[in-house]
Amino acid sequence: MRNNRLILVALLFLGLINFPLISLFDTSKTVGGVPVIYAYCLWVWFVVIALTGLILNDKNKK
């Protein structure tokens, strides 16, 4: 079950970093002085790390 969740997170990461979706954030605008595409990539990276951590630290290790 845990391996299936990790595979799902990996597929989610690949989907979020795929070209058609990432091109939506390729603008000249900034968020807090950071280009939108960099903020998006950092956000996706943080979410994937957090989800992986939650899966690996699951108390019900099945």
Side-chain angles (χ1 to χ4, degrees):
M1 183 69 160
R2 194 159 124 185
N3 289 336
N4 292 342
R5 290 181 183 172
L6 289 174
I7 291 171
L8 182 65
V9 169
L11 291 175
L12 175 70
F13 178 68
L14 289 174
L16 291 174
I17 300 295
N18 200 359
F19 175 71
L21 187 60
I22 204 167
S23 67
L24 295 174
F25 299 96
D26 191 16
T27 64
S28 60
K29 297 179 182 177
T30 61
V31 175
V34 177
V36 174
I37 194 165
Y38 293 156
Y40 173 74
C41 289
L42 286 172
W43 177 81
V44 168
W45 183 46
F46 174 74
V47 168
V48 167
I49 289 174
L51 287 174
T52 303
L54 287 173
I55 291 169
L56 292 177
N57 288 326
D58 188 16
K59 301 291 184 195
N60 302 327
K61 295 182 182 181
K62 295 179 182 178

